[in-house]
Amino acid sequence: MSAGNRFGREIEFREGSPIQLLQYVEDNSENGFGKIVLNPAALNILQTIQEPLAIISVVGSYRRGKSWFANVLHGRHDGFDLGAKVEGCTRGIYMWSLPFMLESEQPDGKIIQKRVIVLDSEGIEVPKQDQNWATKLFILCLALSSTFIYNISGIIGKSNIGKLCLMTDLNKFIQEPEEGDFLPRLVILLRDFNLESPESFKDYFLEKLNDVNPEAVKGIKKFFDDFDVYGLPVGY
């Protein structure tokens, strides 16, 4: 049995392995958009779940350690594909084969058991990636998730904010229901953060993002009443 990830040492080691939930098949015809193909084996796993379901998506630029962090959530250093390929390893969206149980306290104080699925998505802005697919991938994960973890470089600039620009007008992509929340809990993960830790990572993130895309900041504040920002130093 593999040892747990040192960063996630407090997280229970999860048995199982990754399985592809869906893949994108390109259409090479002019102005053609490919098709999204679901994996029947993954759907069979989902259909066996009887408990309330929580979905955690890990999304962001390629080669920034998304899959590593998805492994951390399973108390592992292996599982979701890691590697040194220039174009990234993950294609489409993968899930863990054994969704794990987690106790959850409700607003009324009641404790319930939830089944949790972690999704590891294809990196955004992979070289030669269909940009229509990159946008749809971002929005699809956002719509599916209970918690949406966006994994980006800790040094925020125009070239590495990924698809956060889409936050400016999410209504263009997701139809808001008449009742209830339609967006997940947002968590921004700043990777390889090698500066002195600010008093508030959230304030730091908003300030730096505002320097490169003020409209994205307005969109995040509009659509997310509250969200979390964390920084991870180099080596994690």
Side-chain angles (χ1 to χ4, degrees):
M1 179 180 294
S2 301
N5 189 297
R6 66 192 179 96
F7 181 70
R9 60 172 61 93
E10 301 299 326
I11 300 176
E12 179 183 349
F13 182 90
R14 314 289 186 189
E15 298 288 352
S17 59
I19 180 172
Q20 191 166 39
L21 174 61
L22 60 83
Q23 64 175 318
Y24 173 67
V25 180
E26 292 188 8
D27 181 349
N28 294 321
S29 63
E30 186 177 356
N31 299 321
F33 179 73
K35 59 182 178 180
I36 297 173
V37 180
L38 295 172
N39 180 4
L43 291 180
N44 288 338
I45 294 173
L46 297 177
Q47 289 170 350
T48 65
I49 297 175
Q50 302 297 318
E51 303 83 5
L53 182 62
I55 298 177
I56 301 173
S57 290
V58 186
V59 182
S61 301
Y62 77 105
R63 306 304 308 143
R64 288 293 179 188
K66 292 183 298 72
S67 298
W68 177 90
F69 191 75
N71 287 332
V72 165
L73 297 178
H74 293 88
R76 309 174 63 112
H77 60 72
D78 62 353
F80 290 112
D81 197 13
L82 305 173
K85 299 176 184 178
V86 173
E87 296 188 358
C89 298
T90 308
R91 286 289 182 264
I93 298 177
Y94 280 76
M95 58 176 273
W96 200 248
S97 63
L98 296 175
F100 58 87
M101 295 293 292
L102 192 68
E103 287 190 347
S104 176
E105 183 175 355
Q106 303 304 290
D108 61 2
K110 183 179 179 181
I111 303 296
I112 66 170
Q113 294 282 336
K114 284 186 176 181
R115 190 70 68 171
V116 179
I117 294 177
V118 176
L119 302 182
D120 179 29
S121 77
E122 176 179 340
I124 302 294
E125 297 174 342
V126 174
K128 301 180 182 178
Q129 184 181 52
D130 184 328
Q131 286 306 300
N132 284 330
W133 163 236
T135 296
K136 292 182 186 301
L137 176 66
F138 180 93
I139 296 300
L140 179 61
C141 288
L142 197 64
L144 285 174
S145 303
S146 310
T147 298
F148 182 85
I149 300 175
Y150 198 62
N151 185 90
I152 61 173
S153 170
I155 310 302
I156 301 169
K158 289 183 178 180
S159 63
N160 56 25
I161 63 171
K163 292 298 180 181
L164 286 177
C165 59
L166 299 178
M167 296 293 193
T168 57
D169 191 4
L170 290 177
N171 290 122
K172 288 174 57 178
F173 306 98
I174 303 176
Q175 184 175 353
E176 184 175 358
E178 294 181 2
E179 297 181 1
D181 296 331
F182 76 110
L183 290 173
R185 179 75 180 181
L186 174 64
V187 177
I188 303 294
L189 198 59
L190 304 178
R191 300 300 298 273
D192 298 336
F193 193 85
N194 57 5
L195 303 176
E196 182 178 349
S197 294
E199 290 187 10
S200 167
F201 274 104
K202 184 176 181 178
D203 291 343
Y204 166 84
F205 166 74
L206 290 174
E207 177 185 347
K208 298 302 180 183
L209 182 60
N210 189 68
D211 289 341
V212 297
N213 195 323
E215 293 304 312
V217 172
K218 292 178 183 177
I220 290 173
K221 289 181 176 180
K222 173 184 176 181
F223 291 108
F224 298 91
D225 293 332
D226 192 19
F227 62 96
D228 300 305
V229 182
Y230 300 98
L232 287 181
V234 175
Y236 285 97

